[in-house]
Amino acid sequence: SLLHGRDFHGIHVKMAKAEQKIDDMTDAFRASQIERMKNLTCSGESSVIYSEMLTDFERIGDHLLNIARAVDGSPITSLELSTAAVGE
């Protein structure tokens, strides 16, 4: 099992800090990308792809925070991945 026997109490607080760090880093990366666009050191197409990737990273952080909030205080004692879920 994955994370068997771990104490999940308070995990949402730790994940909230990590999610905020993801948001802060994303903001900094976006600002740097805008500078690169102003300096014409990157193409518009690559900027769109980069921006979409940053948005995806933010969404992953949001989802992880939502999962941590759901797990915190619940009677869950372990997390397992089924082989069907991972395509094996």
Side-chain angles (χ1 to χ4, degrees), residues 8 20 34 39 43 56 83:
F8 294 108
Q20 184 59 53
I34 290 170
N39 296 330
S43 71
D56 291 340
T83 55

Side-chain angles (χ1 to χ4, degrees), residues 30-68:
R30 282 190 202 285
S32 295
Q33 182 65 10
I34 290 170
E35 287 302 313
R36 286 190 292 273
M37 289 175 60
K38 287 179 183 177
N39 296 330
L40 303 174
T41 57
C42 64
S43 71
E45 182 180 354
S46 66
S47 294
V48 170
I49 293 168
Y50 188 76
S51 179
E52 288 175 357
M53 288 174 49
L54 292 176
T55 299
D56 291 340
F57 290 135
E58 284 182 322
R59 289 183 66 211
I60 290 168
D62 292 341
H63 291 311
L64 291 172
L65 179 57
N66 290 336
I67 292 167

Side-chain angles (χ1 to χ4, degrees), residues 2-16:
L2 187 65
L3 301 175
H4 180 68
R6 302 268 320 251
D7 180 13
F8 294 108
H9 182 68
I11 194 170
H12 77 281
V13 174
K14 294 175 188 174
M15 186 41 82

Side-chain angles (χ1 to χ4, degrees), residues 12-25:
H12 77 281
V13 174
K14 294 175 188 174
M15 186 41 82
K17 291 177 184 177
E19 194 275 334
Q20 184 59 53
K21 186 173 181 176
I22 291 170
D23 288 348
D24 294 344
M25 290 173 61

